[in-house]
Structures are given as structure tokens and as C-alpha cells.
Amino acid sequence: MGSCKKEYESQVKWLWVHGPIIVGAGPSGLAVAACLKENGVPSLILERTDCIASLWQQKSYNRLKLHLPKQFCELPFLKFPENFPKYPTKHQFISYMESYAKHFSIQPNFNQVVQRAEFDLVSGFWRVQTQDFQYFSRWLIVASGENAEPVIPKILGIEKFQGPVMHTSVYKSGSGFKNLRVLVVGCGNSGMEVSLDLCRHKAIPHMVVRNSVHILPRETFGISTFAIAMALLKWLPLKLVDKFLLLLANFTLGNTDKLGLRRPKTGPIELKNATGKTPVLDVGALSQIKFGKIKVMEGVKEITKNGAKFMDGQEKEFDSIILATGYKSNVPSWLKGTDFFTRDGMPKTPFPNGWKGENGLYTVGFTRRGLLGTSSDAVNIAGDISDQWMKIKGCKIRSCGSYILPR
């Protein structure tokens, strides 16, 4: 999709990219590439793996579905097929992503691991180094996402455990865990769904709840809870909407505190906006907790050779441990010379203004607002770069500059 010129000097291979360089071929990278194309701007996506949407294709469990109705997960300029269900499956979402790339003729450069990206003050261009090439461009768009690397927590004694330990990024199904006692560390959406999957495959899951957590019904009377919240936010203050959601949750789910699932003091939407911590949308795990099929455990004090000791004094034996401990951004490991991102790899400027930095730096998909936030970023970025592109293009037509544009 990109327009680039290849040069070789002293065995160093470099490519000049006429449009922006986009790092990452997930939904964010594809969305901004499509928006740029709709604005007449070429781009080049660098993707470290061999496929688009690699988190979905390579690091997600089989039973995964979109947590929100499909209309809230569409990327710009292309809707989901009408025959897709309200909550598309993992494989349907991947199919949508592949159709999206094909529709906009997006062809990423695969197996290109960005090792370093830095703005060159002398030339005024971004220099992006992979294992094969140095790429140069006026613009750099960071689309590697909030979930680039799995978070592996340090748990005392975990190296002693004699059974398998895995992160949910490599978990596919509970089919191999029948009759096994499994410790699931984490109670977010992944921890809940993995525990439910294990339960349905006749395993014996024990889920560790280290912190407070908001659990909301995915639907109320057939209407998406998220859709209800979005509608109410158009008319009511956020805190009032949060109070309504908690009343709704207590009415439909009951008091989760009695199950060992304490709610945070901050409301679910306010907490999500402030910290990125997503409320759990229940798809069946809570009923299994109520029936005792999924055991809720307090924080882990120590992992032993055959199991774990817990903060409340209990000690249990386990056959396997699954870490449902989430993901993190990896931007600080490769983006240098800028303080636009925090140490955690998130833009310092909060939504809705965190999409643009200095010197042609942009970021998409770091809003903590899912695919809706991604679409918003992509449209903003494409509009901003398109304005610059047209000015440069006009400059070339008048022969007033040396910037090389596509013929």
C-alpha cells in the first residue's frame, strides 16, 4: 500500500516512505491506513508478525467473542456483514479484519520488527530501524496498541511449581484440563472467561481475585449494557450514569461482594476512563461462581511445589496455573527521543487529544476506549496528515521545495 523508494549504501539498506510509517497491523493500524487512503495519502505498515490482527489470530482463546455489539466495533468506512451475529466470534472478527485490509488494498510489510524509531532533528524526518531496513518518513504513527506484550507478574515461589504455567496469550481451550485443578490468576474479562471455559470442559477452576472489580451484565432485557450507558451519557453526567449502572447490576446480578468480588468505590465508567481498567461484562461466569463450580480465592501469598498458599491462610494443590494478568504497551522499548509517552507506554495527553504529538508523531488505539476510540483517532490523524500532504503536494507543483512525492 505504501509508496517507497529503496536505496543501498555501504551495505545499509534504507527505504524512503512517501507517506506515513505505521507501526502495527492490528485494527488500529488498518483503520488509520484506510482513513489515510480515503484522503488520498499513501502509507506503509510495519508489522512484526506474519499476519494482520496478530493478537486476535495468535494470542486469543477459542471461545472469545466481542464483548460489545458489533456496531460499536466497526472500523471506519466498512460495516460488519449483516449475517454476523450481534456479538461476532473471534474467527468472524478476524474475517472482518481480513476483508477490511482487502477492501482498502492494505498490504503491510510483515516480519518487520521495529527495533528503534527516532526523529532526526537535522533532516527533519523519522528514522525507523527494523532487522532488515532503515525506513525514513516525515510522519510516524504508533499503532502497536495497549496490548502488545503479556504482563507476567512476579509471584513468590512460582519457579518451584512443578506443573505447567501459562499466560492466557497461549491458552486456547479447556479441553486438555478435564478433571484438573487449575489456578487462574486474575479476574478481569479474560480471567472470568477462561474460568468459565475450564468449567465447561469439566476442569476445576479456582480464580484469584486480588483487587476489587466491577461486574456488569452484558445485556439487560436484551439490550446491551454498553449501549444503555452510551445513550445515557448523551444526557446525564457520568457519575449519575455510573450510579444507574450499579443499580442495574445489583438488580440483575445481586450483591457480588457476598461472592468475594468486591466493587471499587469509583464507578465503572469513571474508573475505565481514569485507569483503563475495564468492567467485566458477565457472559455466564457469575452463575458458575454462585453454584460453586468456579471457586473465588483471595490473593496468592506464595506458590509452592504442588499448589499455592493464599492471603487468608488457605493452602491448596493445583495441577496447572493460568495467568490472566493482561497485557501492556511496548512503545518505550523502541520509541526514543520523545517524552510523549509515559513509562507505561501510554500517551501523557488524555483522550480525546492524545492522538497527536510533535514533529509528525501520531498515536492510534491508546484511548482506553476500545475500537470506538481507535476509529476516532484514525479519522483525526488522517485529516491532519491529509492537510499537510496537500500543502506539500501544492508546494511541489509550484517547484518550491525539494520534498519527493509519488509520481
Side-chain angles (χ1 to χ4, degrees), residues 265-324:
K265 293 181 180 179
T266 307
I269 301 177
E270 184 180 358
L271 187 66
K272 166 71 172 169
N273 291 348
T275 68
K277 188 174 181 181
T278 305
V280 172
L281 296 176
D282 181 52
V283 293
L286 202 61
S287 65
Q288 298 302 316
I289 292 172
K290 291 177 179 178
F291 290 136
K293 300 291 186 181
I294 299 173
K295 309 290 185 183
V296 173
M297 308 300 298
E298 288 193 17
V300 175
K301 181 178 181 181
E302 180 183 0
I303 299 295
T304 64
K305 185 172 69 172
N306 298 313
K309 295 178 181 178
F310 298 91
M311 293 297 185
D312 61 0
Q314 291 191 70
E315 182 172 357
K316 292 183 179 292
E317 292 187 355
F318 295 101
D319 300 294
S320 298
I321 297 175
I322 298 175
L323 303 174

Side-chain angles (χ1 to χ4, degrees), residues 135-146:
Y135 298 83
F136 293 86
S137 174
R138 183 179 290 269
W139 303 281
L140 175 66
I141 302 174
V142 179
S144 50
E146 304 166 356

Side-chain angles (χ1 to χ4, degrees), residues 108-143:
N109 278 19
F110 292 114
N111 300 307
Q112 290 296 296
V113 180
V114 173
Q115 299 168 338
R116 187 180 183 90
E118 191 168 13
F119 185 72
D120 188 329
L121 291 171
V122 177
S123 67
F125 299 113
W126 285 92
R127 181 195 301 261
V128 181
Q129 178 73 53
T130 71
Q131 76 279 13
D132 294 326
F133 297 100
Q134 282 191 20
Y135 298 83
F136 293 86
S137 174
R138 183 179 290 269
W139 303 281
L140 175 66
I141 302 174
V142 179

Side-chain angles (χ1 to χ4, degrees), residues 393-405:
K393 194 171 183 179
C395 182
K396 176 182 181 276
I397 292 171
R398 297 190 302 272
S399 301
C400 66
S402 59
Y403 184 72
I404 304 171
L405 288 169

